[in-house]
């Protein structure tokens, strides 16, 4: 799959792009094309482009930009029309040493969807720290995918599965994105308050065999 990572020059974008490049054609998107090219050089086979160029050329587009920059999506609405767009954006604020969900209601993913109404927006990767993707191999973990159609879920699930050891779990429609984004603050606080390193999501099942 040809996948663009907008903000692929940032901490999470770079790490995710590195993992995705194992099985996909990756385009690093940056506000600055030369910065995108420089980041792309660090990843075998990756290309670099500005946000518009990256959005146009890719089949699936991942937003790895800060919540504060979400408004720029509106300027890409035509280039993203008809495409599957993945939001990993977490609106987080820090208060009294705790990470808190930064919105009164709704979610970053739903705000993104409203800015690009012609696109099929889903969530993925929200609860996974870049630290997991910066390693050569990812440990077995789950990522929650909210999407308004099963078809969109399946496209994103394929992308998730292209990273070895990463399991997509369908979380229901995009209205569930707020719960997923809130979980990011929870796992960050759990890791810090329990001195447990960086934590992420891995669900166990009654179908699992005892080891
Ligand atoms: N870091 C993590 O572990 C992690 C985990 C899960 C989800 N996330 C989410 O992923 C997103 C990116 O996080 P990050 O830690 O990678 O952030 P980051 O290191 O600050 O990178 C963000 C990238 O976004 C681009 N950008 C576009 N508009 C921007 C603006 N107005 N101000 C600053 N940067 C802008 C920048 O790329 P150009 O300047 O090249 O355009 C920058 O490299 C966030 O929404 C975060 O919640 C992060």
């Amino acid at each position: 799959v040809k996948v663009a990572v907008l903000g692929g020059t940032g901490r999470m974008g770079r790490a995710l792009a590195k993992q995705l490049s194992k099985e996909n054609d990756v385009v690093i998107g940056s506000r600055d094309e030369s910065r995108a090219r420089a980041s792309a050089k660090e990843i075998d086979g990756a290309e670099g482009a500005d946000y518009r160029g990256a959005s146009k050329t890719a089949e699936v587009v991942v937003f790895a930009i800060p919540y504060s920059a979400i408004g720029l999506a509106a300027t890409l609405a035509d280039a993203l029309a008809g495409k599957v767009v993945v939001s990993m954006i977490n609106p987080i604020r820090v208060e009294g040493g705790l990470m808190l969900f930064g919105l009164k209601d709704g979610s970053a993913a739903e705000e993104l969807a409203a800015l690009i109404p012609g696109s099929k927006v889903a969530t993925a990767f929200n609860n996974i720290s870049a630290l997991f993707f910066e390693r050569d191999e990812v440990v077995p973990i789950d990522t929650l995918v909210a999407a308004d159609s099963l078809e969109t879920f399946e496209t994103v699930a394929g992308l998730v599965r292209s990273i070895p050891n990463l399991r997509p779990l369908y979380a229901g429609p995009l209205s569930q994105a707020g719960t997923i984004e809130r979980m990011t603050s929870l796992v960050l606080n759990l890791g810090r308050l329990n001195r447990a390193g960086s934590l992420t999501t891995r669900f166990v099942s009654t179908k699992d065999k005892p080891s």
Side-chain angles (χ1 to χ4, degrees):
V1 176
K2 191 152 190 176
V3 54
V5 182
L6 307 190
T9 54
R11 177 102 199 239
M12 185 51 163
R14 264 204 321 268
L16 178 68
K18 185 184 93 169
Q19 293 297 336
L20 289 173
S21 71
K22 292 175 179 171
E23 295 267 343
N24 304 280
D25 295 324
V26 169
V27 189
I28 301 287
S30 168
R31 288 172 292 182
D32 176 342
E33 193 176 339
S34 61
R35 199 156 58 228
R37 292 228 173 92
S39 275
K41 272 196 190 140
E42 293 168 20
I43 299 175
D44 268 355
E47 298 168 40
D50 63 15
Y51 285 165
R52 173 161 288 276
S55 301
K56 274 193 172 165
T57 184
E59 298 162 71
V60 179
V61 178
V62 181
F63 271 76
I65 63 170
Y67 174 71
S68 58
I70 199 169
L72 66 78
T75 66
L76 303 171
D78 58 326
L80 293 170
K83 300 193 181 189
V84 171
V85 170
V86 179
S87 171
M88 52 184 299
I89 301 171
N90 294 309
I92 288 178
R93 66 186 170 90
V94 185
E95 196 182 296
L98 280 180
M99 305 285 192
L100 300 174
F101 183 64
L103 306 179
K104 277 214 180 79
D105 48 34
S107 64
E110 289 164 285
E111 284 184 28
L112 181 63
L115 292 166
I116 49 171
S119 305
K120 301 164 207 165
V121 176
T123 65
F125 314 118
N126 295 73
N127 308 139
I128 304 175
S129 160
L131 290 164
F132 288 93
F133 287 150
E134 283 166 357
R135 297 172 173 181
D136 287 340
E137 276 186 44
V138 180
V139 293
I141 50 181
D142 298 321
T143 191
L144 304 176
V145 179
D148 282 338
S149 78
L150 274 179
E151 196 188 351
T152 302
F153 165 70
E154 285 302 344
T155 300
V156 178
L159 198 66
V160 168
R161 284 191 202 100
S162 74
I163 301 177
N165 282 338
L166 199 57
R167 179 175 68 161
L169 289 176
Y170 184 45
L174 204 64
S175 60
Q176 299 306 300
T179 304
I180 295 171
E181 294 170 15
R182 279 179 175 80
M183 276 180 67
T184 301
S185 7
L186 177 67
V187 296
L188 288 169
N189 293 331
L190 288 172
R192 206 179 63 79
L193 296 172
N194 297 281
R195 295 191 176 84
S198 276
L199 300 178
T200 188
T201 40
R202 180 177 176 181
F203 293 87
V204 293
S205 163
T206 50
K207 291 183 176 177
D208 295 338
K209 292 196 175 69
S211 53

